[in-house]
Amino acid sequence: MSTATTNGPEAASTAAKILPGRHTPPATLIIFGAGGDLTKRLVVPALYHLAHGGKLADEFAVIGVDHNDQTTEQWCRSLTGMMQASTQPPGIDADAWSWLTHRMHYMRGDFTEPETFGHLKKLLAERSERNNTANALFYLATSDRFFGPVIEQLGRAGLTQQSEGAWRRVIVEKPFGHDLASAQALNARILKFLSEDQIYRIDHFLGKEPVQNILVLRFANGIFEPMWNRDYIDHVQITAAETVGVEGRGRFYETTGALRDMVPNHLFQLLAMIGMEPPISFDADAVRDKKTELFQAIHPISPEDAVRGQYGGGAVLGRSVVDYRHEPNVAQDSSTETYVALKLGIDNWRWAGVPFYLRTGKCLPARTTEIAIEFRCAPYVLFRDTPVERLPANILTLRIQPDEGLSVSFNVKRPGAEIEIDGVAMDFAYRDYFEPLAAVGYETLIYDCLIGDATLFQRADTVEAAWRAVEGLLGAWARNGANDFPNYVAGGAGPDAADRLLAREGRKWLPMRAEHPHRAVRPDVVTPIRSR
Ligand code: BG6
C-alpha cells in the first residue's frame, strides 16, 4: 500500500492523489477473460484511469485472451462503446484512451488448450522485444474453474519462469475456493508453478479508499488506538447491505449463498482492518501476518450465533422484486441464504468479550457498507435522579460506501436554562475535503501488482485461516436445510431473528441507510434526555 502524509485540510487535494507520482515499470498485462464482464466493467476502466493519470510506463502493453473469434479492432471498438456509455461524468479523454488502445492486442484462445499458451508465449516474446521488457502480469479475470488449469498451462509453457530483471506475476480473482478444502487444494495446485510472492489474490473491498484508510485512521492518529480495545469498546457492527438481488447470477448464487460470497472475504477484510494488531511496518508480510493472526483468533462460530435469511417478494426502492426462489436458475425449494448475520468472538487480549456483529444481504432497504464501533457508556451516577434510563453510547461510524466518510456521535448540553442532553455528531465526508477521483476501485490494486506491493492481496495462509473460521458453520448449515425460508421481505431490514441476535444481549442494529445528513445527528442513536 502506498503511503503519503498531509498537513491538514489545505493539503487535502494532494492527499486525494492516492498513487505516488511514479510510473509503473514496463510490463505486459495479459488478461484471460478479455471478453468478460469483469474486464469490461472494472479492469479496462481502471487501466484507462491509470493511463489518464499518467501512471503507466510508455512500454506498457495489454494482451487480451478469450475464446471469441474477434480482431483487436473489434475488441477495442466494443470496449470504446462500453467506456463511453459507463464513464461518470460521461465521456472519455480521447488521448488517454487512444494511448491505451494502441497498446492493446486481442488473441483468440481456449484456456484449456496447450496451443493457446504456445501462441501466447510467442506473442509475449515479440512484445517483450519491442518494449524491451519481459515483465508480465497475468490477470485471471475468468470463472474460478479456470484458475488452476490456466496457471498449470502457464507453468508448463515456461511462462511463469522469472529471470534476472524480469518478473512474472498472477492476479487471481474471487472466489478463491468455496470452502477450506478447496482453497487448500487450489493453493497447493498453483504453488507447484508459482512462488507465493508471484501470486496476487484479489479482494476488491481492499481497493476501496475508505477501507485502506482504516489503518491510517487507527495508526496515524494518537486518539483512537489507546481506546481501541475491550476496556473502551462495547461491540462492533459491520454491515454490507445491498439493494440488488442476484441479478441473473442464480446458477452461481445457488451454490454460493451470502455466507461464502461475502463473509470470509469482503466482511473479514473489514474485520481485519478494525481488529488486527498494529503491524511493525506497512510491509506486505508485516500487515498480512497480523491479519492472519486475527482470523486465527476467531472463536468457532456456533449456529446459535448465526442467522440466515432468504428474501421473499417485496419492493426495493420502489422496484418490485420477486422472491428469490422465483429468480432464474434457482430451485423452488432453495435453502440458499441471501442474508447472513453473525456474532463473532475474538479470543485475544484486545478483544476478548467484545462481540463483532456482521451482517450482509441482498434486497435490503439501502445500499450501504459501514462499520460502527460502539463505545462503552459513561457511568450513570450523575443522572441517577433524572428520568433518563441510560446514557447513549458514543459511536464511531466508518462509512465505506456510498457516502464515504466517518462520524463520531456524542452527547452535548442543549443550550438553555434546563439541563437537556442531545445527541450530535462530528462528521468527516470525503467529498468535503477531497476532489472526487475517477476510479472504479481496481486502480490501486492493478498499480500495486505492477510495482510489486502485495499488501492489499491475500496470502495463502490468510485465505485458509478465513475459510477455517467459517468452516463449522458452513457444515452445520449444509447438514440442516433452512425450514423458514423465505423469512424476510425484499426491501425489509432482514429476518427478525437477526434483531433477536442482538436483542438477547440488550443491543440493537443501527439502521441501514445510504445517505447521512451532513451534520450526521443520529436521533435513532442518541435520544434527547432531560435532567430534573
Ligand atoms: C462480490 C459478490 O464479490 O461483491 C457480489 O460476489 C456482491 O454478490 C459484490 O454484490 C459487492 O461488491 P460491492 O463493491 O458492489 O459492494
Side-chain angles (χ1 to χ4, degrees), residues 194-214:
L194 296 164
S195 58
E196 179 59 42
D197 62 4
Q198 292 178 279
I199 308 172
Y200 289 69
R201 299 175 191 79
I202 274 196
D203 186 306
H204 81 273
F205 263 46
L206 290 176
K208 296 183 194 290
E209 194 59 33
V211 178
Q212 293 170 28
N213 182 47
I214 299 174

Side-chain angles (χ1 to χ4, degrees), residues 20-332:
R22 63 200 165 110
H23 281 159
T24 57
T28 305
L29 171 68
I30 301 96
I31 308 173
F32 290 93
D37 202 46
L38 180 70
T39 301
K40 286 190 203 142
R41 283 192 309 111
L42 298 165
V43 181
V44 169
L47 291 175
Y48 162 73
H49 290 136
L50 288 172
H52 191 228
K55 302 297 176 202
L56 300 174
D58 227 22
E59 305 83 358
F60 178 75
V62 180
I63 299 175
V65 187
D66 217 327
H67 56 81
N68 296 335
D69 213 353
Q70 61 177 337
T71 62
T72 296
E73 289 65 38
Q74 285 166 329
W75 183 46
C76 289
R77 208 174 312 128
S78 72
L79 292 171
T80 308
M82 181 279 314
M83 287 291 296
Q84 273 158 349
S86 66
T87 39
Q88 274 310 326
I92 44 176
D93 179 81
D95 291 342
W97 182 240
S98 126
W99 184 96
L100 184 63
T101 49
H102 275 92
R103 287 165 172 74
M104 290 169 67
H105 180 93
Y106 183 82
M107 188 195 115
R108 201 203 77 78
D110 186 315
F111 303 154
T112 56
E113 295 291 333
E115 301 84 76
T116 304
F117 297 82
H119 186 182
L120 179 62
K121 194 172 184 180
K122 273 204 354 237
L123 198 59
L124 197 52
E126 280 165 32
R127 301 268 138 178
S128 301
E129 194 156 336
R130 192 183 314 160
N131 286 335
N132 201 18
T133 176
N135 292 339
L137 174 59
F138 300 97
Y139 196 133
L140 305 191
T142 64
S143 152
D144 60 326
R145 70 179 194 280
F146 292 117
F147 296 165
V150 169
I151 291 172
E152 272 172 10
Q153 298 274 13
L154 288 171
R156 292 208 180 97
L159 284 161
T160 52
Q161 205 76 50
Q162 312 199 80
S163 56
E164 188 70 32
W167 48 255
R168 297 290 159 112
R169 299 179 186 140
V170 179
I171 300 183
V172 186
E173 265 292 337
K174 174 180 170 270
F176 197 93
H178 55 267
D179 55 16
L180 177 60
S182 56
Q184 285 172 325
L186 183 57
N187 275 328
R189 188 170 180 187
I190 67 180
L191 282 163
K192 286 196 185 123
F193 296 94
L194 296 164
S195 58
E196 179 59 42
D197 62 4
Q198 292 178 279
I199 308 172
Y200 289 69
R201 299 175 191 79
I202 274 196
D203 186 306
H204 81 273
F205 263 46
L206 290 176
K208 296 183 194 290
E209 194 59 33
V211 178
Q212 293 170 28
N213 182 47
I214 299 174
L215 293 191
V216 175
L217 179 81
R218 285 184 59 191
F219 304 130
N221 293 296
I223 58 172
F224 297 115
E225 200 51 24
M227 299 191 302
W228 214 258
N229 57 55
R230 60 184 170 142
D231 293 338
Y232 296 90
I233 293 177
D234 176 76
H235 74 278
V236 177
Q237 296 185 17
I238 301 181
T239 300
E242 297 187 90
T243 50
V244 292
V246 289
E247 294 188 297
R249 295 194 305 159
R251 203 182 306 279
F252 156 81
Y253 207 80
E254 273 289 85
T255 56
T256 306
L259 177 57
R260 282 193 169 86
D261 192 34
M262 296 291 288
V263 176
N265 30 65
H266 305 327
L267 264 60
F268 272 22
Q269 290 308 322
L270 304 181
L271 173 75
M273 292 301 215
I274 295 295
M276 68 196 262
E277 293 300 316
I280 49 154
S281 73
F282 272 123
D283 174 70
D285 277 326
V287 172
R288 297 186 304 174
D289 284 349
K290 296 298 171 197
K291 282 187 173 183
T292 312
E293 282 168 16
L294 186 88
F295 296 157
Q296 288 164 342
I298 295 174
H299 194 78
I301 309 166
S302 134
E304 283 80 64
D305 289 337
V307 172
R308 53 183 154 169
Q310 187 190 78
Y311 63 83
V316 182
L317 305 174
R319 164 182 59 92
S320 70
V321 172
V322 295
D323 57 294
Y324 173 72
R325 291 179 175 181
H326 284 94
E327 297 275 5
N329 301 312
V330 169
Q332 303 256 318

